[in-house]
Amino acid sequence: MKIEQVRWDNTDAVALRARQRAEIAERYGTPDSEPGVPPSQTDIAVFFVAYEDGGSAVGCGGLRALGAGTGEIKRMYVAPASRGSGVAPRVLLALEEWARGQGWSSLRLETGDAQPDAVRFYTRSGYEPIPPFGPYTESDNSLCFERPL
């Protein structure tokens, strides 16, 4: 498996994000469950795609700068058939290493109450619950986490 930094508009990145949004829409019963402004090419500092050895794109994740040395994990996703194979930890490691290289001191994220798998993954990865931040303060479904780098 290899993790590659790609442009936001990379074909594989676009396809993986579309799959992530479809899965989220199914879990929450609405196509628009995201509080705040969706990430875009103009506000994502870095985006990575994970490729299995055969070249298929199987996971992704990006970072949005929040300021004061803090970033937010956005669009973290692993294709269902590749879950449990180590893709997510490798993408997360790439994001954390990139953030450290930028001098960032912590990463935050928001996930929802219908995503217990994400909560388990992030807590196992050292992320601890924090009060909702930014656009998530008014969301009843948001669960927020942070990890010092």
Side-chain angles (χ1 to χ4, degrees):
M1 176 185 321
K2 65 180 178 175
I3 309 296
E4 287 188 14
Q5 183 176 338
V6 300
R7 291 177 41 92
W8 178 260
D9 60 358
N10 170 280
T11 304
D12 294 324
V14 170
L16 286 165
R17 288 194 309 270
R19 291 173 67 187
Q20 187 254 4
R21 295 314 301 157
E23 184 175 320
I24 296 298
E26 185 176 321
R27 286 189 188 211
Y28 291 94
T30 177
D32 188 24
S33 63
E34 183 170 11
V37 177
S40 69
Q41 185 166 327
T42 60
D43 73 349
I44 290 296
V46 68
F47 202 81
F48 290 96
V49 170
Y51 292 93
E52 57 186 13
D53 293 336
S56 297
V58 294
C60 64
L63 293 174
R64 174 188 277 166
L66 297 179
T70 301
E72 180 182 6
I73 297 170
K74 297 300 293 182
R75 295 301 188 261
M76 183 82 170
Y77 176 75
V78 175
S82 295
R83 292 179 186 163
S85 68
V87 174
R90 292 195 57 193
V91 171
L92 185 59
L93 180 61
L95 293 170
E96 291 172 343
E97 288 177 350
W98 187 91
R100 279 187 198 97
Q102 302 305 302
W104 294 4
S105 57
S106 66
L107 289 181
R108 292 181 175 180
L109 65 102
E110 181 270 347
T111 190
D113 58 6
Q115 296 167 263
D117 46 344
V119 171
R120 278 190 308 276
F121 169 70
Y122 288 117
T123 55
R124 277 190 239 153
S125 300
Y127 287 76
E128 297 192 5
I130 61 169
F133 64 94
Y136 314 114
T137 57
E138 301 299 319
S139 171
D140 294 334
N141 297 344
S142 289
L143 303 171
C144 296
F145 296 83
E146 185 171 28
R147 178 178 179 200
L149 295 176

